[in-house]
Amino acid sequence: MQLICPAGTPAALRDAVDLGADAVYCGFRDETNARNFPGLNFSREELEREIAYAHSRQVHVLVAINTFMRAGSEALWERAVDDAVRLGADALILADLGLIAYTAERHPQARRHLSVQAGAANADHIGFLVEAFGIKRAVLPRVLSLTEVAALTREVPCETEVFVFGGLCVMEEGRCSLSSYATGLSPNMHGVCSPASHVRYRKDGEAMVSMLGDFTINRFGAGEAAGYPTICKGRFTAEGRDGYVFEDPVSLDALAHLDTLHKAGVSALKIEGRQRGRAYVAQVVKEIRRRLQSGSGAADGAEALRRMSEGQRTTEGSYDRRWR
Amino acid sequence: MLPPILRLLATPLPLPLVQGMAQASLTHILREHPGLFDRLGTFAARPIAISPTDAPFDFTLVLARRSVRVTRRGATPPAYATRICGPIVLLLALAEGRLDGDAEFFGRHISIEGDMETALALRNAAESIPLDFVRDLAPPWRWAQRPGQAVLGAVRRSLLEREGVPCN
């Protein structure tokens, strides 16, 4: 199984390459990718230079162009595809049907991966995209159980890639409107879930209150580990009780299931976190590479990974979905 | 936390001396790493307050002007767009990319007030340059560089080890 690692900056890309990534995924500095944060991502010149660096070490670079095109501004997304191909990207990670069609038509030789943002969670959906647009690999949503991942991998006529560590999106990816509801900006159209421009933290005595736009998302008590200010991981009052309705502030850790995923025929393991720092990329890549090489889910580095996690807690998410 | 002896030694330092040292350090770092501005973009014009919780001074930076203003803890600092608070060793380790900002934030070791966009842009810009305080802040004179780096390196290693931060 390939290890697919995130890079938000050239420095993070080099760390990932040097520490054992088989491929690194990154994006341009604009809303064409789902991590459109201030100061993050790659200029064209940087991408060209870093692709050369990665290729010199036999590591692939995948370029995420995985937001949905805005009507009337399609040229921005099409130019991103053209440039990524021209600069030597080994694959494009795409979600928008129109953009996938454009890529298949203009750059038939370019390897096309289906982004998790496409929300393709069944064999018919993926099979159609493989047949119509020559998709080579589908990144599966984080709402499937291990059994479902295995069944889907058997059924679809392309490779599958799954998330094994990092931020856990529990929604229908590519279709979630929670961020848009609160801020007018979404990961799907603007590349930002809970955009920093709308996030505020304030102290309230010993507590810390997180706000997204006009909404209070959470209130963390003294010393309580914090999370991102996303509505899906906010604390709500429902039926007279306070708590997390959708999901807790927590990160995905499916490293205990590497063997199962391998046996299921999954081609690639993805680490979430292009918005994270170099220290995160280095720690996580090193640890997962070690486990892949040792062939065990040995938890020596589990504590270090937990400290890197949202809310300093991890979950196996839907992979271990026992309620169905 | 900063060793109490260092805090004790720093407290009586005259403000103009600390101001002069901070300004010289910032000027040198920005000259060595012009790439910082590329990622900061327009956020470079926004005032950023750095407030080490275990040191007696606050530092307010306006990177576009290449200026820093030092104030004593407790005094009214200049207006800021964003303020980043935390133990000084963690803040320096974050700037050098030794720690992950999100992880330190989740663990409540650092806190951020005000404009999050500026804080994110600063984090990402700092991550993208090879900031190394030992190399960047060593004395400029050739004869003093090696011993200066040795001393600064030993101090950094000792402080990082106290915090359990990898110092390789």
Side-chain angles (χ1 to χ4, degrees), chain A residues 26 66 105 142 157 173 254:
Chain A
C26 54
N66 59 347
E105 186 182 315
R142 285 162 275 194
E173 294 186 66

Side-chain angles (χ1 to χ4, degrees), chain A:
Chain A
M1 291 184 292
Q2 288 188 346
L3 183 57
I4 316 294
C5 304
T9 60
L13 182 145
R14 293 197 176 209
D15 284 347
V17 167
D18 294 345
L19 291 168
D22 294 304
V24 179
Y25 66 105
C26 54
F28 289 123
R29 290 191 199 177
D30 54 35
E31 70 249 52
T32 61
N33 77 91
R35 290 286 182 269
N36 179 25
F37 293 110
L40 205 69
N41 292 320
F42 290 63
S43 67
R44 266 56 173 176
E45 294 73 24
E46 286 170 339
L47 185 62
E48 184 173 26
R49 192 180 64 228
E50 300 311 322
I51 286 177
Y53 180 84
H55 284 178
S56 72
R57 286 153 179 79
Q58 290 75 52
V59 174
H60 288 170
V61 176
L62 320 179
V63 179
I65 308 172
N66 59 347
T67 47
F68 293 85
M69 295 192 287
R70 193 170 54 252
S73 300
E74 294 88 347
L76 179 67
W77 280 261
E78 291 169 356
R79 200 163 52 242
V81 165
D82 296 341
D83 288 346
V85 172
R86 176 177 57 81
L87 297 171
D90 296 285
L92 308 183
I93 307 171
L94 308 165
D96 185 302
L97 275 181
L99 196 63
I100 297 173
Y102 172 87
T103 310
E105 186 182 315
R106 298 294 179 93
H107 306 286
Q109 79 290 356
R111 188 178 161 90
R112 296 175 288 284
H113 290 186
L114 189 65
S115 169
V116 69
Q117 282 287 96
N122 64 67
D124 289 340
H125 188 169
I126 297 171
F128 166 74
L129 295 173
V130 170
E131 188 181 332
F133 303 118
I135 292 293
K136 297 292 184 196
R137 179 185 294 172
V139 183
L140 302 182
R142 285 162 275 194
V143 293
L144 301 174
S145 66
L146 279 174
T147 310
E148 289 167 333
V149 167
L152 205 50
T153 300
R154 273 196 308 273
E155 287 178 54
V156 297
C158 68
E159 299 171 359
T160 56
E161 177 176 314
V162 298
F163 284 90
V164 290
F165 191 85
L168 176 61
C169 179
V170 293
M171 294 299 165
E172 186 71 17
E173 294 186 66
R175 295 166 178 76
C176 177
S177 294
L178 288 176
S179 173
S180 187
Y181 174 74
T183 70
L185 300 171
S186 76
N188 316 323
M189 302 297 290
H190 310 89
V192 278
C193 178
S194 296
S197 53
H198 290 68
V199 172
R200 288 287 183 279
Y201 291 95
R202 64 177 170 82
K203 282 185 184 167
D204 184 7
E206 288 298 301
M208 178 177 73
V209 177
S210 62
M211 307 275 300
L212 180 65
D214 293 332
F215 296 88
T216 298
I217 300 296
N218 214 330
R219 179 189 171 88
F220 301 100
E224 183 183 2
Y228 291 122
T230 53
I231 292 181
C232 61
K233 293 176 183 174
R235 202 157 1 198
F236 298 88
T237 300
E239 296 180 347
R241 286 185 299 174
D242 287 348
Y244 294 104
V245 173
F246 302 109
E247 180 58 281
D248 295 20
V250 65
S251 289
L252 175 69
D253 179 353
L255 300 183
H257 298 297
L258 297 182
D259 195 41
T260 308
L261 293 167
H262 179 62
K263 286 178 182 156
V266 168
S267 296
L269 308 174
K270 186 166 213 152
I271 301 170
E272 186 279 343
R274 282 194 287 133
Q275 77 284 8
R276 301 292 297 263
R278 293 173 61 189
Y280 168 90
V281 171
Q283 179 86 45
V284 177
V285 172
K286 205 160 48 180
E287 176 61 19
I288 299 180
R289 173 53 68 198
R290 187 186 67 73
R291 294 199 197 188
L292 284 172
Q293 280 173 341
S294 70
S296 81
D300 297 357
E303 176 58 18
L305 295 186
R306 186 190 63 75
R307 282 200 303 269
M308 288 284 175
S309 300
E310 183 174 4
Q312 299 205 315
R313 284 189 297 147
T314 59
T315 174
E316 295 180 358
S318 293
Y319 291 137
D320 186 32
R321 196 166 54 189
R322 296 176 189 176
W323 62 89
R324 282 183 60 176

Side-chain angles (χ1 to χ4, degrees), chain B residues 22-95:
Chain B
Q23 184 62 59
S25 301
L26 180 71
T27 303
H28 183 71
I29 286 171
L30 295 180
R31 195 167 53 229
E32 290 292 305
H33 303 290
L36 193 75
F37 290 102
D38 178 42
R39 285 187 180 274
L40 272 173
T42 56
F43 297 106
R46 300 190 187 178
I48 301 166
I50 307 291
S51 298
T53 48
D54 51 354
F57 302 103
D58 292 322
F59 305 83
T60 306
L61 315 168
V62 183
L63 295 170
R65 287 192 221 143
R66 291 170 164 73
S67 76
V68 54
R69 186 168 159 205
V70 183
T71 45
R72 278 196 190 281
R73 176 67 33 81
T76 307
Y80 56 81
T82 189
R83 183 184 193 198
I84 303 170
C85 307
I88 191 165
V89 177
L90 292 193
L91 295 175
L92 294 174
L94 281 167

